[in-house]
Amino acid sequence: MPILEEKRVSLFIKREDKIHALISGNKYRKLKYNIERAKSDHFDTLLTFGGAYSNHVVATACAAKENGLRSIGIIRGEELASKWQKNHTLSMARELGMQLKFISRGEYRNKHLPQFINQLNSEFDTFYLLPEGGTNNLAVLGCQEILTQNDADFDVICSSVGTGGTIAGIINSSSSKQHLIGFPALKGDFLKEDICKFALKKNWELQTNFHFGGYAKTSTELIDFINDFKKHTQIPLDPIYTAKMMYGILRMVEAGKFKPETKILAIHTGGLQGIVGMNAILKKKNLPLINL
Ligand SMILES: *Cc1c(COP(=O)(O)O)cnc(C)c1O
């Protein structure tokens, strides 16, 4: 990338996407201690929530299977009940043995309420509950393992942000000299508070200008960026999270936001399973596709 040389900034990418094809990147980290807890507490079923393209749903289905647990996915959107077979993410989750239950968007909004959980408890046997996106204390603990001692030399560490659990873990295991930048993949002011619930340090900021219109929203510019980036680096980016972060980082480099000799580490949090689903949407709209 010529812009990095021009600005004399170095950029490394930590390939968490290579941990596992389906229990991808940060989702592996977030599930690790939750699965240990579910097993030590003698649960035989994981239950979680997600949308039709959720990396977390697939990761949970796969991790459950690999650990001899059953899994239940509560999926947003009743209309999917008749056409989940056409959805890459959901059919993969089903293939991995996940039982899918489709609920309306209205019901989905109430998923954290005790009445709703009680209803699930009467419908299904006991289960270990993972919140949407998988963020809880144990998930943050797992994400603290993303950085290791070998990463102590980096000045700046960048991560994509959904619920904020991943960056909270990274913040907690960073050194106070390091600066963390989170790139939210969605619009909203709630993220800062959510991160503060788990983060123990204040060495971080959010760059909120790179969400491309909101969660799962893309543009031809972003798709072109993904394809160009892959051509130059051979590194695939997902359109929901990591591409928005990488686009943001390079824009900030271009704008001279980093001093010369700054060493940046970007976390590739995975999410590549989502490309097929996104391409199906782009194809319907007659837009350029992401090269596989
Ligand atoms: C879920 C996800 C994120 C966001 O993680 P949070 O802990 O929810 O902030 C980032 N990148 C990828 C690829 C993801 O799948």
Side-chain angles (χ1 to χ4, degrees):
M1 300 257 132
I3 188 69
L4 297 173
E5 279 136 49
E6 190 189 318
K7 301 287 182 185
R8 292 198 285 134
V9 164
S10 70
L11 173 60
F12 287 76
I13 301 182
K14 189 159 194 139
R15 297 290 304 273
E16 292 276 298
D17 58 310
K18 292 200 165 183
I19 290 179
H20 191 291
L22 296 176
I23 315 174
S24 159
N26 65 341
K27 299 306 186 284
Y28 169 85
R29 304 283 184 185
K30 293 171 92 169
L31 283 163
K32 180 178 166 190
Y33 291 114
N34 277 294
I35 294 212
E36 270 182 24
R37 174 64 59 80
K39 289 211 275 194
S40 67
D41 287 354
H42 304 292
F43 285 94
D44 64 2
T45 304
L46 304 178
L47 180 143
T48 197
F49 307 91
Y53 301 94
S54 167
N55 297 325
H56 168 66
V57 164
V58 173
T60 302
C62 190
K65 185 174 183 198
E66 289 193 356
N67 285 278
L69 300 167
R70 300 195 314 128
S71 63
I72 301 168
I74 309 297
I75 309 297
R76 182 178 59 227
E78 286 169 306
E79 74 285 355
L80 292 161
S82 59
K83 51 182 185 192
W84 60 266
Q85 291 92 335
K86 287 191 203 132
N87 175 287
H88 178 74
T89 300
L90 297 177
S91 45
M92 207 150 49
R94 191 73 198 82
E95 226 165 88
L96 290 160
M98 183 177 259
Q99 180 180 350
L100 302 175
K101 177 182 165 73
F102 299 93
I103 63 176
S104 69
R105 285 168 172 73
E107 280 179 283
Y108 195 86
R109 268 192 292 278
N110 294 331
K111 64 186 177 304
H112 56 280
L113 298 180
Q115 302 101 286
F116 186 74
I117 304 294
N118 285 341
Q119 200 184 315
L120 291 174
N121 271 317
S122 56
E123 184 173 345
F124 303 103
D125 271 347
T126 51
F127 49 75
Y128 183 90
L129 183 82
L130 291 161
E132 182 183 38
T135 291
N136 58 16
N137 279 314
L138 291 175
V140 172
L141 199 65
C143 290
Q144 290 179 194
E145 295 175 357
I146 293 175
L147 290 185
T148 67
Q149 280 172 346
N150 297 335
D151 302 319
D153 274 352
F154 289 103
D155 306 303
V156 173
I157 298 161
C158 298
S159 172
S160 175
V161 175
T163 61
T166 301
I167 196 163
I170 297 171
I171 291 166
N172 291 348
S173 58
S174 67
S175 89
S176 311
K177 287 182 303 203
Q178 295 178 312
H179 184 64
L180 273 91
I181 308 177
F183 294 84
L186 63 168
K187 275 195 253 185
D189 305 327
F190 53 92
L191 278 171
K192 220 168 186 157
E193 263 171 58
D194 287 353
I195 295 170
C196 288
K197 273 188 229 155
F198 296 105
L200 305 172
K201 294 196 187 92
K202 296 216 152 59
N203 55 345
W204 57 277
E205 65 174 291
L206 295 181
Q207 282 291 330
T208 53
N209 292 327
F210 302 106
H211 56 64
F212 285 78
Y215 184 72
K217 299 276 195 298
T218 59
S219 68
T220 302
E221 190 187 5
L222 186 67
I223 304 302
D224 288 347
F225 172 76
I226 294 171
N227 289 335
D228 274 351
F229 191 83
K230 187 162 176 205
K231 205 160 90 190
H232 281 105
T233 64
Q234 276 77 54
I235 299 173
L237 298 171
D238 85 294
I240 316 253
Y241 293 103
T242 52
K244 293 180 181 182
M245 167 192 70
M246 196 54 72
Y247 181 96
I249 294 172
L250 291 173
R251 270 291 135 91
M252 288 178 75
V253 170
E254 216 168 62
K257 303 276 187 205
F258 303 104
K259 287 195 295 247
E261 315 310 330
T262 301
K263 289 176 80 176
I264 305 172
L265 178 67
I267 311 297
H268 193 316
T269 41
L272 301 173
Q273 70 84 26
I275 293 176
V276 177
M278 180 58 78
N279 272 345
I281 295 173
L282 294 169
K283 196 168 172 199
K284 262 196 202 149
K285 296 186 183 165
N286 252 324
L287 293 169
L289 304 187
I290 300 165
N291 298 330
L292 288 169

